[in-house]
Amino acid sequence: MARLTLALSAVLIAFTVAGVQSQRPPAGTSHQGKAYRFNKVADGVYHAIGTGALAVVGNSSVIVNDDDVIVVDDHVSPAAAWVLLQELKDITSKPVRTVVNTHFHFDHAHGNQIFDKDVAIIGHEFTREMLTGGKSIEMPLFKNYLAGIPRQIEDLKKRIAAEPDRGKKSELEKQLRVAENNSASQAELKPTPPNVTLQTRMTLHRRFAGTDREIQIRFLGRAHTAGDVVVYLPNEKIVCTGDMLTAGLSNMSDAFVNEWPGTLDELKKLDFVTVLPGHGDAFNDRSKIDYFQAYLRDVWTEVTRLKQQGVSAEEAAKRADLTRHKDHFPIQGPGVPLIAVARIYDVIDRAGGRD
Ligand SMILES: [Zn+2]
């Protein structure tokens, strides 16, 4: 009995040290192979990207200090965050004591619930507001995502039944397991807000390799949401940008598209070399910011013009032509997602006092 108690205590201590709630693993964590690839960006700084073995959706960044670990964004579900912490043990035995949510979106903050109460979850005040009282899960972006999972499962089942090639069938079966695990984890979702908030900036002071390390958390203005923060490491010249700046385009469903380019101007003032985006691979090419600003300005101008002509949001979503940006972004032809156009129409109406 004493030995059992000792063993149990060891397990509880292990979970406590990792900063995870001392509870059973959440549903939907099973997967084959590694769920994350940890790309080393600098000593003690990693960019974690999903391999496809588990639904994780957004990227996270991992900052390993002398005594603790800071995780920037915690993925799409409790299962994804749980597995992140399990696999983090491959690169460090230090405890995760701090999580930063770059914004409230489900694919960056829906892992929050697995962390113990003594883990600081830091985010903008707006991020807390949205993750409190179920507001975030009422937003169209999340509703669309959640509604898509059963459809994805049914579709995969049909394709598996119709697939004659064994290799392709096995690949589809793997995708089905990933989708089913995601569904199981989404069923356990309890949106959990940051327990530490900021309005404009906060700096964490840590030690790394015996020297001081600053981790700045900065709100630079409204952009992808009303509460995006970036995590900036001035010594390493690295910035984690969430979805304010990704490797490609970024969704606009909760955005202030008219303010976004100005916020990116503020980002450009920071002295960084490497961007760790919320989606896609890390990059150094700052001209991506210029291209994205130009795209956003054109989206705003084009959609505003169509609205002024009395064109419906549905029609504007088909007609808005951004093909002139196709050299820099995956744009096949005219059209902008309806969710983006609806948001822009809404922002214009609110600005015009027709709220
Ligand atoms: Zn987002």
Side-chain angles (χ1 to χ4, degrees):
M1 185 62 198
R3 279 178 65 180
L4 184 66
T5 309
L6 197 64
L8 193 63
S9 307
V11 169
L12 290 176
I13 288 165
F15 282 139
T16 307
V17 165
V20 187
Q21 281 187 346
S22 324
Q23 59 183 22
R24 65 182 176 79
T29 54
S30 72
H31 60 284
Q32 285 185 317
K34 292 291 180 189
Y36 293 94
R37 196 173 71 240
F38 293 97
N39 295 330
K40 185 174 175 181
V41 188
D43 285 340
V45 184
Y46 301 83
H47 194 216
I49 298 182
T51 61
L54 191 76
V56 308
V57 189
N59 300 330
S60 58
S61 298
V62 177
I63 303 162
V64 181
N65 305 307
D66 281 351
D67 300 316
D68 69 339
V69 178
I70 297 170
V71 169
V72 181
D73 286 342
D74 54 24
H75 304 282
V76 76
S77 65
W82 177 277
V83 172
L84 175 77
L85 293 190
Q86 295 300 308
E87 295 191 2
L88 255 182
K89 290 173 186 165
D90 292 344
I91 56 170
T92 180
S93 58
K94 287 163 191 158
V96 174
R97 294 217 178 96
T98 308
V99 173
V100 181
N101 292 149
T102 58
H103 61 297
F104 77 88
H105 281 160
F106 61 95
D107 49 335
H108 300 264
H110 276 183
N112 283 357
Q113 74 194 62
I114 69 145
F115 293 95
D116 214 345
K117 297 277 181 286
D118 63 0
V119 172
I121 301 179
I122 304 174
H124 191 272
E125 286 182 0
F126 178 75
T127 300
R128 180 175 164 88
E129 187 189 320
M130 291 306 289
L131 286 164
T132 302
K135 283 200 197 83
S136 68
I137 54 175
E138 290 303 317
M139 302 304 281
L141 189 69
F142 179 70
K143 283 186 157 182
N144 289 351
Y145 177 73
L146 198 64
I149 298 172
R151 285 202 297 268
Q152 184 192 10
I153 289 172
E154 284 318 302
D155 177 57
L156 282 165
K157 282 181 177 168
K158 279 186 201 143
R159 287 168 62 196
I160 289 164
E163 180 56 62
D165 182 276
R166 272 183 69 176
K168 285 182 189 159
K169 193 193 269 288
S170 144
E171 179 52 36
L172 290 169
E173 282 166 348
K174 193 177 139 201
Q175 290 175 27
L176 176 62
R177 284 194 294 275
V178 171
E180 285 174 337
N181 279 319
N182 190 23
S183 177
S185 191
Q186 295 299 335
E188 291 189 347
L189 177 71
K190 294 189 193 80
T192 302
N195 52 23
V196 179
T197 58
L198 69 143
Q199 276 190 327
T200 52
R201 70 184 284 175
M202 173 187 290
T203 304
L204 306 176
H205 297 273
R206 296 289 190 275
R207 299 278 291 173
F208 176 68
T211 58
D212 291 333
R213 170 184 270 169
E214 255 189 44
I215 299 114
Q216 297 182 8
I217 304 166
R218 308 272 294 258
F219 172 73
L220 302 170
R222 300 194 293 189
H224 174 69
T225 71
D228 305 290
V229 295
V230 301
V231 177
Y232 173 50
L233 306 178
N235 295 349
E236 289 84 356
K237 297 191 191 296
I238 290 170
V239 64
C240 310
T241 52
D243 290 355
M244 180 204 292
L245 178 65
T246 73
L249 292 175
S250 192
N251 81 66
M252 294 174 263
S253 65
D254 301 300
F256 291 85
V257 175
N258 50 334
E259 297 176 36
W260 199 335
T263 303
L264 289 169
D265 277 335
E266 293 303 308
L267 177 69
K268 284 174 171 175
K269 291 177 187 168
L270 301 180
D271 179 20
F272 62 86
V273 172
T274 307
V275 174
L276 305 188
H279 296 272
D281 289 325
F283 60 88
N284 294 340
D285 181 4
R286 287 177 79 117
S287 65
K288 270 181 186 279
I289 309 176
D290 303 327
Y291 297 138
F292 189 47
Q293 285 176 304
Y295 170 83
L296 290 168
R297 288 191 178 107
D298 275 356
V299 170
W300 180 262
T301 305
E302 182 80 353
V303 173
T304 302
R305 184 180 62 80
L306 290 163
K307 188 173 194 303
Q308 281 166 353
Q309 290 172 3
V311 174
S312 71
E314 288 75 13
E315 192 56 31
K318 289 181 203 145
R319 277 204 238 161
D321 188 354
L322 280 304
T323 49
R324 71 188 77 99
H325 298 276
K326 67 177 165 36
D327 289 346
H328 304 296
F329 299 105
I331 296 169
Q332 261 84 47
V336 169
L338 176 58
I339 201 167
V341 174
R343 169 66 181 180
I344 292 169
Y345 272 41
D346 191 42
V347 168
I348 295 170
D349 284 342
R350 282 166 194 253
R354 278 163 288 176
D355 191 0

